[in-house]
Amino acid sequence: MSIESFFSDNIKAALKNDPPGEWMTATPDGCIRLNSGYPAPDLVPVQQLKSAVVNLIEKEQDLPFHYLGSPKFAKLKEQIQGRLADRGICISKEELLITSGACQAIDLVARILIDKETFVVIESPTYMEALEVFQNYTQYFISVPVDEYGLKTDCLAEMLEERKRQGQTLPRLLYTIPTHQNPTGTTMTRDRRQHLVELAIKYNFLILEDDAYGELSFNKSPIPLMAIDQEDRVIHVGSLSKVVAPGLRIGWVAGAKELITAITWLKKDLDHPFAQATMATYLENINFEERLKILRTKYHTKCTVLISALEQYFPGSVSWYVPEGGYFAWVRIPGVDTSQLLTQALTEGVSFVPGKHFFLDQKNGTEFLRLSFSYADEKEIVEGIQKLGKVVTSNF
């Protein structure tokens, strides 16, 4: 008997894609990790989280370990509502759902909105794990390029109008990371944000806004798409993974009440009550704005070190975008296959993520790579770029 013969048709189709996580290459011991989209180890608030756990258990004993969990469970939703309100997103508790990280939120939205005939618009390049999620539900995508100012909404408008003129199926959903995009680090301008919302209205689709890096702007944070939207076109996904700790898996999805109700129906009780209560306890005992100031300053410094090292150690033909926030820099090395380059780089003791993993058509990403400045310390960043520069130069 073959157990696979019992799989549903959509699962059989999904399993034809590359396995999830193929993009994360194993790194040798001592390798400088410019591939890791993780918070800096010294910026994870270990002692404060430890105190939160101790305080929670001492005050509530067994409560946080039960199915229904701690009363802090509800408190966390209020705290997230408050943070969103500070950024112009004013929603009721019925319009917000706490999830186990942003990826669960993206998957739940996909389960509600996407079937095998659905067309989804994605940025090119885009966040590879979101692409992996969407490919579990559909194989129909429309790719729109990203430049230094984010998603090219003029190209999107042309594509949508041409599809409409030819009687082709229009998209139901557009996925975007408008602020400090992963992988390019670029940020969509205010004019393009407004244009995108207008296009969603004109061509009747929804926008899934991934705002994982929205609070990590080095200067003034741009307005979220959801704060511009007046017609419930935008579904907003966020996370505390990049600003607190990813292992707690705290994310959320905000949207129209009917959508959140449907998502809750599927999510059921797949929560982490203890992790959520711990996060709520942590948040109520810190000044989060002060924490964000520290994070922004530290990451801005690291980014500046990275860009300076690129200018010093990379050939003049190599180009990159200068990020305004977030974790990543996007580099183009003309005429070089960065997947092959990675093998050489690992031998030298430095890692990165080849650009092909961020494209639906991987051939479009062969000359690109993503560098992370979040995880390695400043000395490692300089050393890593020096090593990588040596490898790059040897390929010209």
Side-chain angles (χ1 to χ4, degrees), residues 268-318:
K268 300 185 183 295
D269 63 349
L270 298 179
D271 290 304
H272 293 290
F274 182 74
Q276 292 184 24
T278 296
M279 183 65 79
T281 305
Y282 164 77
L283 290 176
E284 70 182 4
N285 288 293
I286 69 161
N287 183 326
F288 201 73
E289 284 303 321
E290 287 301 313
R291 173 168 175 78
L292 286 178
K293 288 180 182 178
I294 292 171
L295 295 178
R296 290 163 180 159
T297 299
K298 293 270 190 172
Y299 288 133
H300 193 183
T301 298
K302 287 187 168 196
C303 180
T304 300
V305 168
L306 175 74
I307 297 302
S308 178
L310 287 172
E311 292 171 346
Q312 182 174 355
Y313 296 113
F314 270 41
S317 58
V318 177

Side-chain angles (χ1 to χ4, degrees), residues 61-162:
Q61 298 295 307
D62 62 305
L63 275 180
F65 300 101
H66 283 289
Y67 286 120
L68 295 179
S70 160
K72 303 286 187 185
F73 192 86
K75 179 69 174 178
L76 180 60
K77 180 179 279 193
E78 294 174 8
Q79 292 165 327
I80 299 301
Q81 279 180 271
R83 295 223 52 75
L84 292 174
D86 289 343
R87 302 182 61 216
I89 300 174
C90 299
I91 52 173
S92 68
K93 63 180 181 179
E94 292 81 17
E95 296 171 311
L96 177 67
L97 180 68
I98 306 300
T99 60
S100 298
C103 270
Q104 186 191 43
I106 292 169
D107 184 69
L108 288 167
V109 171
R111 290 177 66 186
I112 294 294
L113 298 180
I114 301 175
D115 54 40
K116 63 181 181 180
E117 303 298 330
T118 301
F119 279 79
V120 176
V121 179
I122 57 172
E123 296 172 323
S124 183
T126 190
Y127 176 41
M128 61 287 193
E129 292 195 28
L131 181 56
E132 289 173 350
V133 168
F134 297 138
Q135 287 178 313
N136 289 336
Y137 299 95
T138 184
Q139 296 300 310
Y140 295 101
F141 296 94
I142 302 169
S143 294
V144 179
V146 170
D147 65 11
E148 61 185 313
Y149 304 112
L151 178 71
K152 297 184 69 172
T153 56
D154 56 341
C155 292
L156 173 63
E158 291 173 4
M159 291 179 183
L160 291 170
E161 186 57 34
E162 181 64 15

Side-chain angles (χ1 to χ4, degrees), residues 371-391:
L371 297 173
S372 169
F373 51 81
S374 62
Y375 184 77
D377 64 33
E378 293 167 33
K379 181 180 178 181
E380 289 174 328
I381 290 172
V382 174
E383 183 181 350
I385 295 301
Q386 189 173 12
K387 289 175 179 289
L388 186 54
K390 176 183 175 182
V391 173

